[in-house]
Amino acid sequence: MISYSRQNQDEPATAAPDAGPEDHIAPAPRVSVQAFCETVETAAAVQAAGEDRRLAKAHLKIQMGGVVAAIEAYRSAPTPNVIVLETDARSDVLAGLDQLATVCDPGTRVIVIGKVNDVTLYRELVRRGVSDYAIAPVQPIDVVRSICNLFSAPEAKAVGRIIAVVGAKGGVGASTVAHNVAWAIARDLALDSVVADLDLAFGTAGLDYNQDPPQGIAEAVFAPDRVDTAFVDRLLSKCTDHLSLLAAPATLDRVYDFGADAFDSVFDTLRTTMPCIVLDVPHQWTGWAKRSLITADDILIVATPDLANLRNTKNLIDLLKAGRPNDRPPLYCLNQVGVPKRPEISTSEFAKAIESPPIVSIPFEPQIFGAAANNGQMIAEIASNHKTTEMFLQIAQRLTGRGEAKKPKGSFLGPILEKLRAK
């Protein structure tokens, strides 16, 4: 019998729905996956699934021939962590699975793709140890979901959502937006969150949150073999009840050159303990910066309304769309809109060129933003009723997929009292 960890044991087989914007699928670990397909269409879907960011660590191999080819292949070779089998007939798959079980190593999990939608067949597959059954034709996201869900136990803690915030150009205020959005996620949406400042040389998250922790993200990056939940917890600096900070050292005593996977262990560990991780990604194009964006669950690009930002925003969105074909497109916002005497591209023209509108257009407010930065405070702390505070909440809601935050009901005397205060 094939060993497996099965979910939804008593549910009949149904075709998996397409992943919507809020469909959160946890990435698969470093596993080997081999698919044996009957049709070119299914092989293409599996191939496309292998290029999805959530299967970036998995090693995928595709062969044609279905169950028969799988049985022949494993007569003299060890089986992988996951086998994906496509079959056209009901009887062939049951007989084939019986034969496959004789050559299959313990612990291997099997996903079957078939054309028969029948609860009796599903129960027979379950009895033989099949982990999941998908109805053909399948889309790449169906394959991604089936493989990733094998390694996400129902009783396990939800895997955290990673939100990456990056500027289309230097000096556009991306870090300020990232820190204020994270504050809104933690305070207004009551979602436990952590801000990871990836600008190790010049990061400002510590200053913005008025924190000066002795350790931070650099200790984790330079000692990847020590990274685990307990180690990362010791590096976090608590800002509020729901918000923690993984600060950058912001010192120049060493050079911060990393490989593309330098932050992988940190992100993987944070996912297991935090529902929301906000990455403050600096404006630089390195292997690890690109990887941080590609592997994030949601992305926010911050831009100002000029030509260079327009070009860079479009380039970023095009690249990230291509690199994340099964995710919703990156979102963007305009910042520092309305600088006196500065020629600007209008919001409508910007949106027309990008082919999507910005989430919000944050006005140029040097006094309030300057005061917040100098005091180590968020905009919501010094001006809770300011329109910019509401904009940060809107961004937080869009990025997390959460509804509007509950607000206390106002008294019927509220409008009268407001007029008296104004006088």
PDB file of all heavy atoms in Angstrom, residues 21-22 161-165 177-178 181-182 185 189 191 276 278 297-301 328-333 359 392-402:
ATOM      1  N   PRO A  21      -7.827  35.795  -6.357  1.00  0.00           N
ATOM      2  CA  PRO A  21      -6.838  36.684  -5.794  1.00  0.00           C
ATOM      3  C   PRO A  21      -6.497  36.359  -4.350  1.00  0.00           C
ATOM      4  O   PRO A  21      -5.384  36.568  -3.917  1.00  0.00           O
ATOM      5  CB  PRO A  21      -7.506  38.069  -5.924  1.00  0.00           C
ATOM      6  CG  PRO A  21      -8.491  37.910  -7.020  1.00  0.00           C
ATOM      7  CD  PRO A  21      -8.972  36.501  -6.932  1.00  0.00           C
ATOM      8  N   GLU A  22      -7.475  35.839  -3.587  1.00  0.00           N
ATOM      9  CA  GLU A  22      -7.236  35.609  -2.174  1.00  0.00           C
ATOM     10  C   GLU A  22      -6.959  34.140  -1.860  1.00  0.00           C
ATOM     11  O   GLU A  22      -6.954  33.737  -0.709  1.00  0.00           O
ATOM     12  CB  GLU A  22      -8.442  36.102  -1.344  1.00  0.00           C
ATOM     13  CG  GLU A  22      -8.869  37.531  -1.650  1.00  0.00           C
ATOM     14  CD  GLU A  22      -7.734  38.527  -1.589  1.00  0.00           C
ATOM     15  OE1 GLU A  22      -6.749  38.283  -0.856  1.00  0.00           O
ATOM     16  OE2 GLU A  22      -7.800  39.542  -2.297  1.00  0.00           O
ATOM     17  N   ARG A 161       1.441  35.056   5.190  1.00  0.00           N
ATOM     18  CA  ARG A 161       1.410  35.723   3.878  1.00  0.00           C
ATOM     19  C   ARG A 161       2.547  36.736   3.823  1.00  0.00           C
ATOM     20  O   ARG A 161       2.687  37.575   4.716  1.00  0.00           O
ATOM     21  CB  ARG A 161       0.070  36.428   3.700  1.00  0.00           C
ATOM     22  CG  ARG A 161      -0.059  37.214   2.395  1.00  0.00           C
ATOM     23  CD  ARG A 161      -1.336  38.025   2.377  1.00  0.00           C
ATOM     24  NE  ARG A 161      -2.490  37.166   2.346  1.00  0.00           N
ATOM     25  CZ  ARG A 161      -3.134  36.799   1.228  1.00  0.00           C
ATOM     26  NH1 ARG A 161      -2.713  37.227   0.060  1.00  0.00           N
ATOM     27  NH2 ARG A 161      -4.181  36.022   1.283  1.00  0.00           N
ATOM     28  N   ILE A 162       3.347  36.673   2.776  1.00  0.00           N
ATOM     29  CA  ILE A 162       4.453  37.614   2.591  1.00  0.00           C
ATOM     30  C   ILE A 162       4.020  38.711   1.635  1.00  0.00           C
ATOM     31  O   ILE A 162       3.577  38.449   0.513  1.00  0.00           O
ATOM     32  CB  ILE A 162       5.713  36.902   2.066  1.00  0.00           C
ATOM     33  CG1 ILE A 162       6.297  35.994   3.149  1.00  0.00           C
ATOM     34  CG2 ILE A 162       6.753  37.915   1.619  1.00  0.00           C
ATOM     35  CD1 ILE A 162       7.601  35.322   2.757  1.00  0.00           C
ATOM     36  N   ILE A 163       4.162  39.950   2.092  1.00  0.00           N
ATOM     37  CA  ILE A 163       3.846  41.131   1.293  1.00  0.00           C
ATOM     38  C   ILE A 163       5.140  41.904   1.076  1.00  0.00           C
ATOM     39  O   ILE A 163       5.802  42.297   2.036  1.00  0.00           O
ATOM     40  CB  ILE A 163       2.810  42.023   2.004  1.00  0.00           C
ATOM     41  CG1 ILE A 163       1.481  41.275   2.162  1.00  0.00           C
ATOM     42  CG2 ILE A 163       2.613  43.331   1.248  1.00  0.00           C
ATOM     43  CD1 ILE A 163       0.490  41.987   3.063  1.00  0.00           C
ATOM     44  N   ALA A 164       5.515  42.105  -0.171  1.00  0.00           N
ATOM     45  CA  ALA A 164       6.740  42.832  -0.494  1.00  0.00           C
ATOM     46  C   ALA A 164       6.396  44.232  -0.983  1.00  0.00           C
ATOM     47  O   ALA A 164       5.533  44.399  -1.848  1.00  0.00           O
ATOM     48  CB  ALA A 164       7.540  42.085  -1.556  1.00  0.00           C
ATOM     49  N   VAL A 165       7.075  45.227  -0.423  1.00  0.00           N
ATOM     50  CA  VAL A 165       6.872  46.620  -0.830  1.00  0.00           C
ATOM     51  C   VAL A 165       8.204  47.135  -1.374  1.00  0.00           C
ATOM     52  O   VAL A 165       9.238  47.034  -0.712  1.00  0.00           O
ATOM     53  CB  VAL A 165       6.417  47.496   0.349  1.00  0.00           C
ATOM     54  CG1 VAL A 165       6.173  48.932  -0.123  1.00  0.00           C
ATOM     55  CG2 VAL A 165       5.152  46.926   0.985  1.00  0.00           C
ATOM     56  N   VAL A 177       5.871  54.045   3.254  1.00  0.00           N
ATOM     57  CA  VAL A 177       4.590  53.393   2.951  1.00  0.00           C
ATOM     58  C   VAL A 177       4.552  51.996   3.558  1.00  0.00           C
ATOM     59  O   VAL A 177       3.557  51.596   4.180  1.00  0.00           O
ATOM     60  CB  VAL A 177       4.366  53.326   1.431  1.00  0.00           C
ATOM     61  CG1 VAL A 177       3.145  52.464   1.101  1.00  0.00           C
ATOM     62  CG2 VAL A 177       4.188  54.727   0.849  1.00  0.00           C
ATOM     63  N   ALA A 178       5.640  51.231   3.413  1.00  0.00           N
ATOM     64  CA  ALA A 178       5.686  49.863   3.938  1.00  0.00           C
ATOM     65  C   ALA A 178       5.472  49.856   5.442  1.00  0.00           C
ATOM     66  O   ALA A 178       4.699  49.041   5.973  1.00  0.00           O
ATOM     67  CB  ALA A 178       7.022  49.214   3.590  1.00  0.00           C
ATOM     68  N   VAL A 181       1.815  50.885   6.315  1.00  0.00           N
ATOM     69  CA  VAL A 181       0.867  49.828   5.948  1.00  0.00           C
ATOM     70  C   VAL A 181       0.954  48.683   6.952  1.00  0.00           C
ATOM     71  O   VAL A 181      -0.067  48.133   7.382  1.00  0.00           O
ATOM     72  CB  VAL A 181       1.143  49.332   4.520  1.00  0.00           C
ATOM     73  CG1 VAL A 181       0.367  48.052   4.234  1.00  0.00           C
ATOM     74  CG2 VAL A 181       0.760  50.409   3.507  1.00  0.00           C
ATOM     75  N   ALA A 182       2.179  48.314   7.349  1.00  0.00           N
ATOM     76  CA  ALA A 182       2.344  47.256   8.350  1.00  0.00           C
ATOM     77  C   ALA A 182       1.702  47.663   9.673  1.00  0.00           C
ATOM     78  O   ALA A 182       1.090  46.835  10.368  1.00  0.00           O
ATOM     79  CB  ALA A 182       3.826  46.958   8.548  1.00  0.00           C
ATOM     80  N   ILE A 185      -1.992  47.128   9.291  1.00  0.00           N
ATOM     81  CA  ILE A 185      -2.314  45.701   9.339  1.00  0.00           C
ATOM     82  C   ILE A 185      -2.353  45.221  10.781  1.00  0.00           C
ATOM     83  O   ILE A 185      -3.256  44.470  11.189  1.00  0.00           O
ATOM     84  CB  ILE A 185      -1.288  44.887   8.524  1.00  0.00           C
ATOM     85  CG1 ILE A 185      -1.421  45.206   7.034  1.00  0.00           C
ATOM     86  CG2 ILE A 185      -1.470  43.383   8.765  1.00  0.00           C
ATOM     87  CD1 ILE A 185      -0.327  44.590   6.171  1.00  0.00           C
ATOM     88  N   LEU A 189      -6.310  45.969  11.634  1.00  0.00           N
ATOM     89  CA  LEU A 189      -6.807  44.657  11.256  1.00  0.00           C
ATOM     90  C   LEU A 189      -6.491  43.601  12.312  1.00  0.00           C
ATOM     91  O   LEU A 189      -6.905  42.450  12.174  1.00  0.00           O
ATOM     92  CB  LEU A 189      -6.215  44.230   9.909  1.00  0.00           C
ATOM     93  CG  LEU A 189      -6.450  45.197   8.745  1.00  0.00           C
ATOM     94  CD1 LEU A 189      -5.869  44.628   7.464  1.00  0.00           C
ATOM     95  CD2 LEU A 189      -7.927  45.506   8.568  1.00  0.00           C
ATOM     96  N   LEU A 191      -3.892  41.922  13.027  1.00  0.00           N
ATOM     97  CA  LEU A 191      -3.220  40.755  12.474  1.00  0.00           C
ATOM     98  C   LEU A 191      -1.757  40.787  12.904  1.00  0.00           C
ATOM     99  O   LEU A 191      -1.042  41.767  12.645  1.00  0.00           O
ATOM    100  CB  LEU A 191      -3.317  40.793  10.946  1.00  0.00           C
ATOM    101  CG  LEU A 191      -2.998  39.531  10.173  1.00  0.00           C
ATOM    102  CD1 LEU A 191      -3.978  38.413  10.527  1.00  0.00           C
ATOM    103  CD2 LEU A 191      -3.052  39.806   8.677  1.00  0.00           C
ATOM    104  N   CYS A 276       1.437  37.487   8.954  1.00  0.00           N
ATOM    105  CA  CYS A 276       1.725  38.481   7.921  1.00  0.00           C
ATOM    106  C   CYS A 276       3.167  38.961   8.050  1.00  0.00           C
ATOM    107  O   CYS A 276       3.602  39.366   9.136  1.00  0.00           O
ATOM    108  CB  CYS A 276       0.760  39.661   8.034  1.00  0.00           C
ATOM    109  SG  CYS A 276       0.952  40.886   6.723  1.00  0.00           S
ATOM    110  N   VAL A 278       5.764  41.673   6.230  1.00  0.00           N
ATOM    111  CA  VAL A 278       5.909  42.790   5.295  1.00  0.00           C
ATOM    112  C   VAL A 278       7.398  42.993   5.030  1.00  0.00           C
ATOM    113  O   VAL A 278       8.166  43.288   5.952  1.00  0.00           O
ATOM    114  CB  VAL A 278       5.282  44.077   5.850  1.00  0.00           C
ATOM    115  CG1 VAL A 278       5.493  45.233   4.866  1.00  0.00           C
ATOM    116  CG2 VAL A 278       3.794  43.883   6.114  1.00  0.00           C
ATOM    117  N   ASP A 297       3.764  36.684  -1.743  1.00  0.00           N
ATOM    118  CA  ASP A 297       2.361  36.396  -2.047  1.00  0.00           C
ATOM    119  C   ASP A 297       1.673  37.594  -2.691  1.00  0.00           C
ATOM    120  O   ASP A 297       0.811  37.440  -3.548  1.00  0.00           O
ATOM    121  CB  ASP A 297       1.620  35.996  -0.763  1.00  0.00           C
ATOM    122  CG  ASP A 297       2.154  34.694  -0.196  1.00  0.00           C
ATOM    123  OD1 ASP A 297       2.022  33.664  -0.873  1.00  0.00           O
ATOM    124  OD2 ASP A 297       2.725  34.711   0.905  1.00  0.00           O
ATOM    125  N   ASP A 298       2.049  38.794  -2.257  1.00  0.00           N
ATOM    126  CA  ASP A 298       1.504  40.017  -2.845  1.00  0.00           C
ATOM    127  C   ASP A 298       2.591  41.066  -2.889  1.00  0.00           C
ATOM    128  O   ASP A 298       3.504  41.088  -2.042  1.00  0.00           O
ATOM    129  CB  ASP A 298       0.301  40.527  -2.047  1.00  0.00           C
ATOM    130  CG  ASP A 298      -0.975  39.775  -2.391  1.00  0.00           C
ATOM    131  OD1 ASP A 298      -1.473  39.974  -3.509  1.00  0.00           O
ATOM    132  OD2 ASP A 298      -1.454  38.998  -1.552  1.00  0.00           O
ATOM    133  N   ILE A 299       2.491  41.970  -3.866  1.00  0.00           N
ATOM    134  CA  ILE A 299       3.530  42.976  -4.091  1.00  0.00           C
ATOM    135  C   ILE A 299       2.891  44.343  -4.240  1.00  0.00           C
ATOM    136  O   ILE A 299       1.877  44.495  -4.920  1.00  0.00           O
ATOM    137  CB  ILE A 299       4.338  42.653  -5.362  1.00  0.00           C
ATOM    138  CG1 ILE A 299       4.964  41.253  -5.260  1.00  0.00           C
ATOM    139  CG2 ILE A 299       5.424  43.695  -5.608  1.00  0.00           C
ATOM    140  CD1 ILE A 299       5.454  40.726  -6.590  1.00  0.00           C
ATOM    141  N   LEU A 300       3.504  45.328  -3.602  1.00  0.00           N
ATOM    142  CA  LEU A 300       3.092  46.722  -3.759  1.00  0.00           C
ATOM    143  C   LEU A 300       4.283  47.521  -4.267  1.00  0.00           C
ATOM    144  O   LEU A 300       5.350  47.529  -3.645  1.00  0.00           O
ATOM    145  CB  LEU A 300       2.606  47.305  -2.435  1.00  0.00           C
ATOM    146  CG  LEU A 300       2.249  48.800  -2.472  1.00  0.00           C
ATOM    147  CD1 LEU A 300       1.004  49.034  -3.327  1.00  0.00           C
ATOM    148  CD2 LEU A 300       2.046  49.365  -1.074  1.00  0.00           C
ATOM    149  N   ILE A 301       4.091  48.184  -5.396  1.00  0.00           N
ATOM    150  CA  ILE A 301       5.119  49.062  -5.960  1.00  0.00           C
ATOM    151  C   ILE A 301       4.725  50.500  -5.640  1.00  0.00           C
ATOM    152  O   ILE A 301       3.588  50.905  -5.875  1.00  0.00           O
ATOM    153  CB  ILE A 301       5.236  48.870  -7.482  1.00  0.00           C
ATOM    154  CG1 ILE A 301       5.603  47.412  -7.803  1.00  0.00           C
ATOM    155  CG2 ILE A 301       6.266  49.826  -8.075  1.00  0.00           C
ATOM    156  CD1 ILE A 301       5.484  47.073  -9.273  1.00  0.00           C
ATOM    157  N   ARG A 328      -2.140  37.044  -8.555  1.00  0.00           N
ATOM    158  CA  ARG A 328      -2.721  38.292  -9.051  1.00  0.00           C
ATOM    159  C   ARG A 328      -1.586  39.266  -9.352  1.00  0.00           C
ATOM    160  O   ARG A 328      -0.510  39.201  -8.745  1.00  0.00           O
ATOM    161  CB  ARG A 328      -3.696  38.875  -8.041  1.00  0.00           C
ATOM    162  CG  ARG A 328      -3.085  39.408  -6.755  1.00  0.00           C
ATOM    163  CD  ARG A 328      -4.159  40.119  -5.950  1.00  0.00           C
ATOM    164  NE  ARG A 328      -3.718  40.502  -4.616  1.00  0.00           N
ATOM    165  CZ  ARG A 328      -4.495  41.114  -3.731  1.00  0.00           C
ATOM    166  NH1 ARG A 328      -5.744  41.404  -4.052  1.00  0.00           N
ATOM    167  NH2 ARG A 328      -4.047  41.427  -2.541  1.00  0.00           N
ATOM    168  N   PRO A 329      -1.797  40.186 -10.289  1.00  0.00           N
ATOM    169  CA  PRO A 329      -0.732  41.124 -10.672  1.00  0.00           C
ATOM    170  C   PRO A 329      -0.309  41.994  -9.493  1.00  0.00           C
ATOM    171  O   PRO A 329      -1.073  42.202  -8.550  1.00  0.00           O
ATOM    172  CB  PRO A 329      -1.393  41.973 -11.766  1.00  0.00           C
ATOM    173  CG  PRO A 329      -2.542  41.167 -12.257  1.00  0.00           C
ATOM    174  CD  PRO A 329      -3.025  40.371 -11.079  1.00  0.00           C
ATOM    175  N   PRO A 330       0.917  42.516  -9.540  1.00  0.00           N
ATOM    176  CA  PRO A 330       1.350  43.440  -8.484  1.00  0.00           C
ATOM    177  C   PRO A 330       0.445  44.669  -8.436  1.00  0.00           C
ATOM    178  O   PRO A 330      -0.087  45.102  -9.467  1.00  0.00           O
ATOM    179  CB  PRO A 330       2.768  43.826  -8.920  1.00  0.00           C
ATOM    180  CG  PRO A 330       3.208  42.740  -9.840  1.00  0.00           C
ATOM    181  CD  PRO A 330       1.973  42.258 -10.524  1.00  0.00           C
ATOM    182  N   LEU A 331       0.272  45.207  -7.264  1.00  0.00           N
ATOM    183  CA  LEU A 331      -0.473  46.447  -7.089  1.00  0.00           C
ATOM    184  C   LEU A 331       0.522  47.603  -7.002  1.00  0.00           C
ATOM    185  O   LEU A 331       1.699  47.399  -6.705  1.00  0.00           O
ATOM    186  CB  LEU A 331      -1.315  46.376  -5.815  1.00  0.00           C
ATOM    187  CG  LEU A 331      -2.295  45.189  -5.716  1.00  0.00           C
ATOM    188  CD1 LEU A 331      -2.939  45.144  -4.336  1.00  0.00           C
ATOM    189  CD2 LEU A 331      -3.350  45.263  -6.796  1.00  0.00           C
ATOM    190  N   TYR A 332       0.035  48.802  -7.262  1.00  0.00           N
ATOM    191  CA  TYR A 332       0.917  49.960  -7.107  1.00  0.00           C
ATOM    192  C   TYR A 332       0.136  51.140  -6.565  1.00  0.00           C
ATOM    193  O   TYR A 332      -1.098  51.208  -6.660  1.00  0.00           O
ATOM    194  CB  TYR A 332       1.597  50.318  -8.436  1.00  0.00           C
ATOM    195  CG  TYR A 332       0.730  51.063  -9.431  1.00  0.00           C
ATOM    196  CD1 TYR A 332       0.793  52.452  -9.537  1.00  0.00           C
ATOM    197  CD2 TYR A 332      -0.155  50.390 -10.270  1.00  0.00           C
ATOM    198  CE1 TYR A 332       0.008  53.146 -10.453  1.00  0.00           C
ATOM    199  CE2 TYR A 332      -0.931  51.061 -11.189  1.00  0.00           C
ATOM    200  CZ  TYR A 332      -0.851  52.447 -11.279  1.00  0.00           C
ATOM    201  OH  TYR A 332      -1.625  53.135 -12.169  1.00  0.00           O
ATOM    202  N   CYS A 333       0.873  52.058  -5.946  1.00  0.00           N
ATOM    203  CA  CYS A 333       0.265  53.303  -5.466  1.00  0.00           C
ATOM    204  C   CYS A 333       1.166  54.455  -5.867  1.00  0.00           C
ATOM    205  O   CYS A 333       2.374  54.279  -6.082  1.00  0.00           O
ATOM    206  CB  CYS A 333       0.063  53.271  -3.946  1.00  0.00           C
ATOM    207  SG  CYS A 333       1.576  53.408  -2.967  1.00  0.00           S
ATOM    208  N   ILE A 359      -3.808  51.878  -6.377  1.00  0.00           N
ATOM    209  CA  ILE A 359      -4.697  51.628  -5.228  1.00  0.00           C
ATOM    210  C   ILE A 359      -5.125  52.960  -4.633  1.00  0.00           C
ATOM    211  O   ILE A 359      -6.311  53.198  -4.407  1.00  0.00           O
ATOM    212  CB  ILE A 359      -3.981  50.812  -4.140  1.00  0.00           C
ATOM    213  CG1 ILE A 359      -3.505  49.488  -4.654  1.00  0.00           C
ATOM    214  CG2 ILE A 359      -4.916  50.575  -2.965  1.00  0.00           C
ATOM    215  CD1 ILE A 359      -2.844  48.655  -3.590  1.00  0.00           C
ATOM    216  N   PHE A 392      -3.595  54.354   4.003  1.00  0.00           N
ATOM    217  CA  PHE A 392      -2.756  53.230   4.421  1.00  0.00           C
ATOM    218  C   PHE A 392      -3.622  52.037   4.837  1.00  0.00           C
ATOM    219  O   PHE A 392      -3.266  50.879   4.586  1.00  0.00           O
ATOM    220  CB  PHE A 392      -1.836  53.651   5.563  1.00  0.00           C
ATOM    221  CG  PHE A 392      -0.717  54.578   5.143  1.00  0.00           C
ATOM    222  CD1 PHE A 392      -0.412  55.711   5.888  1.00  0.00           C
ATOM    223  CD2 PHE A 392       0.018  54.307   4.002  1.00  0.00           C
ATOM    224  CE1 PHE A 392       0.610  56.558   5.494  1.00  0.00           C
ATOM    225  CE2 PHE A 392       1.049  55.155   3.604  1.00  0.00           C
ATOM    226  CZ  PHE A 392       1.338  56.282   4.350  1.00  0.00           C
ATOM    227  N   LEU A 393      -4.748  52.321   5.443  1.00  0.00           N
ATOM    228  CA  LEU A 393      -5.661  51.242   5.820  1.00  0.00           C
ATOM    229  C   LEU A 393      -6.247  50.578   4.571  1.00  0.00           C
ATOM    230  O   LEU A 393      -6.392  49.349   4.512  1.00  0.00           O
ATOM    231  CB  LEU A 393      -6.776  51.782   6.710  1.00  0.00           C
ATOM    232  CG  LEU A 393      -7.853  50.767   7.132  1.00  0.00           C
ATOM    233  CD1 LEU A 393      -7.237  49.561   7.826  1.00  0.00           C
ATOM    234  CD2 LEU A 393      -8.889  51.436   8.032  1.00  0.00           C
ATOM    235  N   GLN A 394      -6.580  51.374   3.564  1.00  0.00           N
ATOM    236  CA  GLN A 394      -7.100  50.815   2.308  1.00  0.00           C
ATOM    237  C   GLN A 394      -6.074  49.876   1.669  1.00  0.00           C
ATOM    238  O   GLN A 394      -6.419  48.794   1.187  1.00  0.00           O
ATOM    239  CB  GLN A 394      -7.444  51.940   1.327  1.00  0.00           C
ATOM    240  CG  GLN A 394      -8.642  52.787   1.735  1.00  0.00           C
ATOM    241  CD  GLN A 394      -8.868  53.933   0.764  1.00  0.00           C
ATOM    242  OE1 GLN A 394      -8.511  53.845  -0.409  1.00  0.00           O
ATOM    243  NE2 GLN A 394      -9.426  55.020   1.249  1.00  0.00           N
ATOM    244  N   ILE A 395      -4.810  50.294   1.674  1.00  0.00           N
ATOM    245  CA  ILE A 395      -3.754  49.451   1.104  1.00  0.00           C
ATOM    246  C   ILE A 395      -3.638  48.155   1.904  1.00  0.00           C
ATOM    247  O   ILE A 395      -3.523  47.062   1.341  1.00  0.00           O
ATOM    248  CB  ILE A 395      -2.406  50.202   1.097  1.00  0.00           C
ATOM    249  CG1 ILE A 395      -2.485  51.436   0.212  1.00  0.00           C
ATOM    250  CG2 ILE A 395      -1.293  49.280   0.622  1.00  0.00           C
ATOM    251  CD1 ILE A 395      -1.236  52.310   0.261  1.00  0.00           C
ATOM    252  N   ALA A 396      -3.683  48.279   3.232  1.00  0.00           N
ATOM    253  CA  ALA A 396      -3.580  47.103   4.100  1.00  0.00           C
ATOM    254  C   ALA A 396      -4.692  46.109   3.821  1.00  0.00           C
ATOM    255  O   ALA A 396      -4.472  44.890   3.771  1.00  0.00           O
ATOM    256  CB  ALA A 396      -3.594  47.539   5.564  1.00  0.00           C
ATOM    257  N   GLN A 397      -5.887  46.618   3.627  1.00  0.00           N
ATOM    258  CA  GLN A 397      -7.029  45.745   3.358  1.00  0.00           C
ATOM    259  C   GLN A 397      -6.891  45.035   2.015  1.00  0.00           C
ATOM    260  O   GLN A 397      -7.199  43.841   1.888  1.00  0.00           O
ATOM    261  CB  GLN A 397      -8.324  46.564   3.402  1.00  0.00           C
ATOM    262  CG  GLN A 397      -8.696  47.036   4.798  1.00  0.00           C
ATOM    263  CD  GLN A 397      -9.797  48.089   4.785  1.00  0.00           C
ATOM    264  OE1 GLN A 397     -10.068  48.693   3.749  1.00  0.00           O
ATOM    265  NE2 GLN A 397     -10.425  48.309   5.933  1.00  0.00           N
ATOM    266  N   ARG A 398      -6.414  45.751   1.001  1.00  0.00           N
ATOM    267  CA  ARG A 398      -6.252  45.143  -0.317  1.00  0.00           C
ATOM    268  C   ARG A 398      -5.167  44.072  -0.297  1.00  0.00           C
ATOM    269  O   ARG A 398      -5.317  42.999  -0.900  1.00  0.00           O
ATOM    270  CB  ARG A 398      -5.899  46.218  -1.355  1.00  0.00           C
ATOM    271  CG  ARG A 398      -7.055  47.108  -1.760  1.00  0.00           C
ATOM    272  CD  ARG A 398      -8.056  46.388  -2.645  1.00  0.00           C
ATOM    273  NE  ARG A 398      -7.454  45.904  -3.883  1.00  0.00           N
ATOM    274  CZ  ARG A 398      -7.280  46.642  -4.983  1.00  0.00           C
ATOM    275  NH1 ARG A 398      -7.683  47.906  -4.995  1.00  0.00           N
ATOM    276  NH2 ARG A 398      -6.743  46.126  -6.060  1.00  0.00           N
ATOM    277  N   LEU A 399      -4.068  44.339   0.371  1.00  0.00           N
ATOM    278  CA  LEU A 399      -2.945  43.411   0.363  1.00  0.00           C
ATOM    279  C   LEU A 399      -3.210  42.155   1.193  1.00  0.00           C
ATOM    280  O   LEU A 399      -2.694  41.086   0.881  1.00  0.00           O
ATOM    281  CB  LEU A 399      -1.682  44.110   0.885  1.00  0.00           C
ATOM    282  CG  LEU A 399      -1.076  45.176  -0.031  1.00  0.00           C
ATOM    283  CD1 LEU A 399       0.058  45.900   0.672  1.00  0.00           C
ATOM    284  CD2 LEU A 399      -0.571  44.548  -1.332  1.00  0.00           C
ATOM    285  N   THR A 400      -3.999  42.278   2.234  1.00  0.00           N
ATOM    286  CA  THR A 400      -4.270  41.130   3.105  1.00  0.00           C
ATOM    287  C   THR A 400      -5.565  40.419   2.750  1.00  0.00           C
ATOM    288  O   THR A 400      -5.828  39.322   3.252  1.00  0.00           O
ATOM    289  CB  THR A 400      -4.345  41.562   4.578  1.00  0.00           C
ATOM    290  OG1 THR A 400      -5.392  42.538   4.732  1.00  0.00           O
ATOM    291  CG2 THR A 400      -3.018  42.156   5.031  1.00  0.00           C
ATOM    292  N   GLY A 401      -6.403  41.056   1.913  1.00  0.00           N
ATOM    293  CA  GLY A 401      -7.682  40.442   1.580  1.00  0.00           C
ATOM    294  C   GLY A 401      -8.686  40.550   2.710  1.00  0.00           C
ATOM    295  O   GLY A 401      -9.702  39.854   2.714  1.00  0.00           O
ATOM    296  N   ARG A 402      -8.419  41.420   3.678  1.00  0.00           N
ATOM    297  CA  ARG A 402      -9.331  41.596   4.805  1.00  0.00           C
ATOM    298  C   ARG A 402     -10.369  42.653   4.479  1.00  0.00           C
ATOM    299  O   ARG A 402     -10.121  43.582   3.715  1.00  0.00           O
ATOM    300  CB  ARG A 402      -8.572  42.022   6.076  1.00  0.00           C
ATOM    301  CG  ARG A 402      -7.584  40.980   6.584  1.00  0.00           C
ATOM    302  CD  ARG A 402      -8.302  39.729   7.021  1.00  0.00           C
ATOM    303  NE  ARG A 402      -7.412  38.728   7.549  1.00  0.00           N
ATOM    304  CZ  ARG A 402      -7.181  38.529   8.852  1.00  0.00           C
ATOM    305  NH1 ARG A 402      -7.789  39.274   9.740  1.00  0.00           N
ATOM    306  NH2 ARG A 402      -6.366  37.583   9.241  1.00  0.00           N
TER     307      ARG A 402
END
